[in-house]
């Protein structure tokens, strides 16, 4: 064997443990994750009396022709109006929103504004202004292109972010990635305020100011996680999801949902289904009926890429949160195979894992067929709950590595899903410790509607 071949072999073996099932990375991230202090510069309150803060946007309808703009004022309600205009246009438009407020134990929120701006033109840059008087603030976003099967589009992926120094690295890494996400798919667990005594809701405010630098300029598509439940009977807080539902709106009614916790949106060439891991999902429940109907309505000739978001992963080879998504998997996995969902993104486990196309839908109690098997009609399952929160990385992996697991690593990072056309998309996972352009793991996804070929081979670097 030549010297060059020996060097390459040593590099591969030094980088990862190779199993018959897949790759378990040897990269170890052991430092504790520490929340940034309340006076950190990334939590700074914008200057000016009653200045709008925690500005964020999300898609405001089913097809990307509207945007929900949200923000908070602290001293008084002020105005809920949004003034907006297309780039290079001399005409401004206005939309009037609503204002709400909530109390949680000994905390009273600021005045929370939500305003939907509609009839947006596709593939157009818009500016928008919130606030009144001398404390207005102006931001911009680029609206989604029109729905179409070959429309390219790039999504960012982050989950379980929190507000630690590592969280800041993750968000910075995402923003500096040379492949720019146009919208972000967020798979749950936002502020981790509930890790503090009495669910210190000031940490919802700091988180909102922290992520504003991204989410005020591109829509984040929200899925809820267990840290959004905020149920604490000991302090009299029994209304679940109270802070989250007051602060973060979704366009759930546009997809026929009865709850903001599960819904769908279409964006460019993608149909995105958001599920709630912590709402009722058994047979005869609203979420069950909604998903059953929603999957039947997906038009793959218009939006060939069918993507699902949830918090608790169905396939997870980490002892942390092991099998917590199992009951939802049993309920819905056969539908995902039947309708050929392309990829499922989840969080919850504070690590990264990419699975092959496997399914486990043959078991009927008596037949003994209870092991996952290769299934090219099944989605690729990706766990990306590695945003960097205060609870640290999940580094207790199961061995041997299961056959369904392609790559796994207990460190922090973000993902990029780059849809090229109706048949091909490229996914890359970026570790925080690497250079911005470096992908620690990647693969080409072949669309399940247009191709049944095996795409489980990792992408070439």
């Amino acid at each position: 064997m030549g010297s060059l071949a020996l060097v390459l072999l040593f590099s591969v073996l030094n980088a990862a443990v190779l199993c018959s099932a897949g790759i378990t990375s040897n990269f170890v991230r052991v430092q504790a994750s520490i929340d940034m202090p309340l006076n950190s510069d990334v939590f700074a309150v914008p200057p000016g009396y009653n200045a709008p803060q925690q500005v964020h946007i999300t898609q405001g309808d089913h097809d990307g022709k509207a945007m929900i703009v949200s923000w908070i004022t602290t001293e008084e309600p002020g105005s809920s109006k949004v003034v907006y205009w297309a780039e290079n246009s001399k005409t401004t438009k206005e939309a009037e929103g609503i204002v709400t407020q909530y109390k949680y134990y000994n905390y009273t929120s600021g005045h929370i504004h939500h305003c939907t701006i509609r009839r947006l033109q596709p593939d157009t840059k818009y500016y928008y202004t919130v606030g009144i008087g001398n404390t207005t603030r102006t931001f911009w976003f680029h609206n989604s292109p029109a729905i179409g099967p070959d429309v390219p589009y790039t999504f960012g992926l982050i989950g379980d972010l929190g507000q630690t120094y590592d969280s800041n690295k993750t968000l910075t890494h995402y923003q500096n990635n040379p492949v720019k996400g146009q919208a972000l798919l967020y798979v749950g667990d936002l502020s981790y305020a509930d890790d503090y005594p009495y669910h210190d809701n000031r940490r919802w405010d700091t988180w909102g100011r922290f992520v504003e630098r991204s989410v005020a300029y591109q829509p984040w598509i929200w899925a809820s996680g267990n840290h959004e439940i905020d149920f604490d009977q000991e302090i009299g807080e029994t209304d679940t999801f109270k802070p989250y539902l007051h602060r973060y709106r979704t366009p759930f009614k546009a997809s026929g949902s009865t709850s903001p916790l599960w819904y769908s949106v279409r964006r460019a060439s993608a149909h995105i289904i958001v599920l709630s891991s912590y709402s009722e999902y058994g047979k005869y429940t609203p979420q069950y009926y909604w998903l059953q109907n929603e999957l039947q309505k997906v038009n793959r000739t218009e939006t060939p890429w069918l993507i699902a978001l949830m918090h608790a992963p169905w396939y997870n080879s980490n002892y942390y949160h092991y099998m917590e998504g199992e009951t939802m998997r049993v309920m819905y996995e056969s539908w995902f195979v039947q309708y050929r969902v392309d990829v499922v993104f989840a969080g919850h486990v504070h690590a990264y894992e990419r699975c092959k196309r496997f399914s486990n839908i043959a078991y009927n109690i008596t037949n003994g067929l209870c092991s996952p098997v290769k299934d090219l009609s099944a989605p690729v399952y990706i766990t990306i709950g590695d945003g960097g929160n205060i609870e640290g990385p999940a580094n207790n992996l199961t061995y041997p590595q299961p056959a369904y697991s392609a790559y796994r690593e207990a460190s922090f990072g973000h993902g990029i899903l780059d849809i090229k056309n109706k048949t091909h998309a490229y996914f890359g996972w970026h570790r925080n410790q690497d250079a911005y352009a470096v992908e620690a793991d990647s693969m080409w996804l072949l669309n399940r509607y247009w191709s049944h070929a095996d795409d489980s081979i990792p992408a070439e670097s």
Side-chain angles (χ1 to χ4, degrees), residues 2-14:
S3 58
L4 178 58
L6 283 171
V7 170
L8 291 173
L9 177 62
F10 176 79
S11 299
V12 170
L13 293 176
N14 189 52

Side-chain angles (χ1 to χ4, degrees), residues 37 54 65-66 71 82 98 208 211 221 234 257 260 287 291 320 333 340 354 385 397 432:
Q54 305 175 53
K65 299 175 183 177
W71 69 97
V82 174
I98 63 168
V211 297
I221 309 302
E234 292 183 358
S257 171
Q287 187 169 197
L291 179 60
Y320 286 97
E333 186 183 13
R340 301 184 185 276
R354 175 176 56 84
L397 301 171
N432 281 358

Side-chain angles (χ1 to χ4, degrees), residues 53-188:
Q53 59 172 274
Q54 305 175 53
V55 180
H56 56 276
I57 60 174
T58 194
Q59 185 162 318
D61 65 354
H62 199 239
D63 287 342
K65 299 175 183 177
M67 199 75 75
I68 301 172
V69 181
S70 303
W71 69 97
I72 292 179
T73 53
T74 55
E75 282 82 8
E76 59 179 90
S79 172
S80 294
K81 181 185 298 182
V82 174
V83 178
Y84 62 104
W85 63 96
E87 187 178 38
N88 300 323
S89 173
K90 296 180 180 179
T91 303
T92 62
K93 299 180 180 180
E94 296 181 355
E96 192 68 40
I98 63 168
V99 61
T100 185
Q101 196 172 33
Y102 73 92
K103 293 184 178 180
Y104 191 97
Y105 190 54
N106 58 0
Y107 168 90
T108 300
S109 76
H111 306 281
I112 305 169
H113 304 259
H114 302 287
C115 181
T116 302
I117 56 177
R118 304 183 186 277
R119 295 180 289 279
L120 301 176
Q121 295 300 309
D123 201 19
T124 300
K125 185 175 183 179
Y126 281 90
Y127 293 87
Y128 67 98
T129 294
V130 293
I132 55 176
N134 295 324
T135 53
T136 57
R137 299 181 69 200
T138 299
F139 304 87
W140 58 265
F141 63 86
H142 201 107
N143 199 37
S144 173
I147 301 296
D150 271 312
V151 179
Y153 201 77
T154 306
F155 293 100
L157 275 302
I158 292 178
D160 301 70
L161 184 61
Q163 45 194 299
T164 69
Y165 292 100
D166 289 301
S167 312
N168 195 29
K169 291 177 182 177
T170 299
L171 190 55
T172 300
H173 215 65
Y174 169 64
Q175 292 182 288
N176 289 330
N177 194 318
V179 180
K180 297 299 182 186
Q182 296 166 272
L184 188 133
L185 307 179
Y186 194 90
V187 294

Side-chain angles (χ1 to χ4, degrees), residues 315-334:
Y315 285 89
N316 165 35
S317 67
N318 202 304
Y319 279 115
Y320 286 97
H321 304 306
Y322 186 59
M323 292 185 71
E324 287 187 17
E326 183 67 4
T327 53
M328 181 181 266
R329 183 195 67 77
V330 171
M331 290 301 305
Y332 296 154
E333 186 183 13
S334 63

Side-chain angles (χ1 to χ4, degrees), residues 8 25 47 66 74 89 91 96 100 159 187 189 203 228 235 237 244 259 285 294 301 314 373 402 417 431 440 452:
L8 291 173
S25 172
T74 55
S89 173
T91 303
E96 192 68 40
T100 185
V187 294
D189 283 0
R203 284 291 178 175
E228 280 71 73
I235 60 175
E237 291 295 344
Y244 172 74
S259 169
T285 62
E294 182 66 21
T301 63
W314 293 356
V373 296
L417 177 65
R431 183 193 296 125
H452 295 168

Side-chain angles (χ1 to χ4, degrees), residues 322-366:
Y322 186 59
M323 292 185 71
E324 287 187 17
E326 183 67 4
T327 53
M328 181 181 266
R329 183 195 67 77
V330 171
M331 290 301 305
Y332 296 154
E333 186 183 13
S334 63
W335 291 354
F336 278 25
V337 174
Q338 175 186 349
Y339 290 97
R340 301 184 185 276
V341 174
D342 292 293
V343 60
V344 177
F345 294 102
H348 201 36
V349 180
H350 302 160
Y352 169 75
E353 183 168 20
R354 175 176 56 84
C355 295
K356 304 171 187 176
R357 294 193 187 275
F358 269 60
S359 71
N360 187 5
I361 58 177
Y363 184 54
N364 70 356
I365 305 297
T366 61

